[in-house]
Amino acid sequence: NKDTPIKSVDSILAALLSSKFAQLMSPPITSDHLLLPPELPLHRGVRTFIARNRPTLSGKHLEWFEQTVNIVAVFGTGVFSLWIWFHRYNRRKRQLSFSHYLARVAAIENEALYRETRAQLKLRHLLPLQRRLRVLKLEALDRFSRGELRGEEMLTGFLAQVTDVRSYLTRLVLHERENLEELARTKNRPLKEVWIEAVGEFNAESAAGTHSNSKPGK
């Protein structure tokens, strides 16, 4: 009855539900039976027992928690994959930028080779190639220093290619410079006058500054 101590009711229920008798029933008698709608109001001891044995998270709560975890996991995986893709995209973009510079250096070299194979090799065609190569190198180094280009190996390869092409152009320019000097001596004309006729006044000044130390005494 209602005057039965709460502790006694709790102890009796615990003993009954854990007994072999309760397990022999089909289905077994468990604390879930206490959750069925009662014919009479439940004793406070029964309510205490139910509260003590009820799981902290109900089935609905567990299901909601699992669904939430799955959603968060899928979302997190998507964000991580997007971050990886973005990182690789930026790295690939920087590498392609370096490849673009390498291609431009190769184009300068191809043009120099084309000029060399012509019947007449003219300085007015070689000197602009030298300037383009110098500007290209400075531009790439500036972008690399600002972090817009990445890759030490790509930079090393680029600089090596620039050095090779610059040496190639320098040999061609010096060869034509010697020819002009010889022409000036032969015709007994001022070298500067012959030089301007060959390359133009602007190119003459630029080339004189570039190669002033390459031919001492001339």
Side-chain angles (χ1 to χ4, degrees):
N1 59 49
K2 64 179 181 178
D3 296 327
T4 306
I6 294 175
K7 186 175 181 181
S8 299
V9 174
D10 184 82
S11 300
I12 292 173
L13 286 174
L16 288 175
L17 294 177
S18 62
S19 66
K20 291 183 179 181
F21 172 77
Q23 302 302 318
L24 290 175
M25 302 294 292
S26 182
I29 300 175
T30 65
S31 59
D32 292 339
H33 288 80
L34 300 176
L35 301 177
L36 297 174
E39 296 180 5
L40 298 174
L42 293 176
H43 191 281
R44 287 184 299 169
V46 177
R47 293 199 299 269
T48 301
F49 180 84
I50 292 174
R52 183 167 58 84
N53 290 276
R54 181 179 295 175
T56 305
L57 293 178
S58 65
K60 291 183 178 180
H61 290 156
L62 288 175
E63 184 179 357
W64 175 86
F65 180 75
E66 290 176 356
Q67 292 177 352
T68 303
V69 169
N70 290 335
I71 292 174
V72 171
V74 171
F75 179 76
T77 302
V79 171
F80 180 74
S81 299
L82 182 62
W83 180 84
I84 291 293
W85 175 86
F86 186 74
H87 178 72
R88 291 178 177 176
Y89 171 78
N90 281 339
R91 183 175 61 183
R92 180 62 176 167
K93 185 177 180 180
R94 295 188 183 102
Q95 291 177 346
L96 288 176
S97 297
F98 247 130
S99 299
H100 174 67
Y101 280 105
L102 291 171
R104 291 169 66 182
V105 174
I108 294 175
E109 184 178 16
N110 289 335
E111 186 173 348
L113 179 62
Y114 168 77
R115 297 296 179 184
E116 185 182 15
T117 57
R118 307 294 291 173
Q120 276 189 319
L121 182 63
K122 297 182 179 181
L123 280 174
R124 67 175 68 249
H125 297 145
L126 296 176
L127 297 181
L129 294 180
Q130 279 190 323
R131 283 197 295 271
R132 281 169 53 190
L133 186 65
R134 182 169 61 252
V135 170
L136 197 63
K137 175 185 175 182
L138 293 177
E139 180 183 325
L141 290 177
D142 180 62
R143 290 189 62 188
F144 182 82
S145 66
R146 288 188 281 117
E148 296 179 9
L149 296 175
R150 296 285 181 86
E152 297 291 340
E153 295 181 358
M154 296 288 290
L155 176 64
T156 301
F158 169 75
L159 293 178
Q161 187 179 16
V162 168
T163 300
D164 290 343
V165 176
R166 182 177 58 189
S167 299
Y168 174 47
L169 288 171
T170 300
R171 288 195 300 270
L172 295 179
V173 170
L174 290 178
H175 175 73
E176 288 306 302
R177 182 187 177 98
E178 291 175 353
N179 290 340
L180 291 179
E181 291 173 349
E182 181 63 26
L183 179 63
R185 285 195 297 268
T186 301
K187 295 188 175 183
N188 195 24
R189 296 176 58 191
L191 176 60
K192 184 176 181 180
E193 180 180 313
V194 175
W195 190 254
I196 292 176
E197 289 180 358
V199 301
E201 188 171 358
F202 176 77
N203 282 335
E205 294 176 356
S206 300
T210 303
H211 301 289
S212 59
N213 298 325
S214 59
K215 301 283 289 183
K218 294 187 180 182

